[in-house]
Amino acid sequence: MTITEKELHVTTGATVWLTGLPSAGKTTIAYELAGRLREEGHLVEVLDGDEIREFISAGLGFSREDRHTNVQRIGFLAELLARNGVKALVPVIAPYADSRDAVRGRHQESGAAYLEIHVATPVEVCSVRDVKGLYAKQAAGELTGLTGVDDPYEEPDSPDLRIESQDQTVQESAAAVHALLTERGLA
């Protein structure tokens, strides 16, 4: 039996948490990065916030407590994957700093790498993108509790990387995250 080059490639797991407002570009950047990392032979999972809500956090609402619970569940799953050699890319709003800090703490306790990326797209740009129609529904009075509009979003004070997606392409944003992973010895 011959061992291929890909089988010899040892990967180091990490959680890459992309936080930002709805329609900031978090998921698009995560999938672009995932493709690049997979091409390099890394094990990668994208933990999309909408999918997690449907399958793992069904029944949770959007109160502060429910949002915290959702973020902790995602953080647990990401940390589990990261300490088992997977790059867990997590495009999830996670609007509260204390929730994100708790996830970072879990990673620090286990020794799993954790990077916080703030996709710092202004709300004015996000509302024009409006990928899921949330801003339009909020403006029409059909939706309340929209993060960054009528519900708080606590921007990270010192993220590992801040991306202004309105000023660069998706490929450039993903390349910036990849460069940070490389700089940290994770890619």
Side-chain angles (χ1 to χ4, degrees):
M1 180 166 107
T2 314
I3 297 175
T4 66
E5 201 172 300
K6 192 172 183 178
E7 289 171 324
L8 285 175
H9 184 81
V10 177
T11 63
T12 302
T15 293
V16 178
W17 198 290
L18 296 104
T19 180
L21 297 174
S23 295
K26 302 175 301 295
T27 302
T28 305
I29 294 167
Y31 279 107
E32 179 70 24
L33 178 61
R36 181 170 179 177
L37 290 169
R38 285 186 183 113
E39 286 175 6
E40 295 172 353
H42 296 274
L43 299 173
V44 181
E45 287 296 333
V46 177
L47 302 180
D48 181 270
D50 293 333
E51 291 175 359
I52 297 290
R53 272 208 174 263
E54 182 179 351
F55 295 106
I56 295 177
S57 293
L60 288 179
F62 291 90
S63 68
R64 181 173 175 75
E65 182 180 326
D66 282 357
R67 289 176 192 245
H68 179 77
T69 299
N70 185 50
V71 167
Q72 296 317 296
R73 288 177 182 177
I74 298 168
F76 171 80
L77 184 55
E79 186 270 333
L80 181 67
L81 289 167
R83 68 181 154 91
N84 283 284
V86 177
K87 302 288 186 299
L89 309 182
V90 187
V92 173
I93 295 169
Y96 301 110
D98 61 344
S99 296
R100 295 189 306 266
D101 290 345
V103 171
R104 182 185 293 274
R106 171 185 293 284
H107 282 72
Q108 288 171 339
E109 287 173 20
S110 74
Y114 178 87
L115 299 175
E116 182 178 73
I117 312 302
H118 180 204
V119 183
T121 311
V123 69
E124 299 79 22
V125 174
C126 294
S127 66
V128 170
R129 289 179 181 171
D130 203 10
V131 177
K132 299 173 193 164
L134 299 175
Y135 294 93
K137 286 181 182 175
Q138 192 277 334
E142 300 168 15
L143 174 74
T144 59
L146 181 59
T147 302
V149 178
D150 60 352
D151 210 54
Y153 176 74
E154 299 171 356
E155 290 191 5
D157 290 329
S158 54
D160 295 284
L161 178 66
R162 192 175 312 276
I163 292 175
E164 310 229 352
S165 72
Q166 75 278 9
D167 295 333
Q168 58 191 33
T169 66
V170 171
Q171 293 76 17
E172 290 169 333
S173 295
V177 180
H178 189 276
L180 178 63
L181 284 165
T182 302
E183 175 187 306
R184 303 278 174 94
L186 300 168

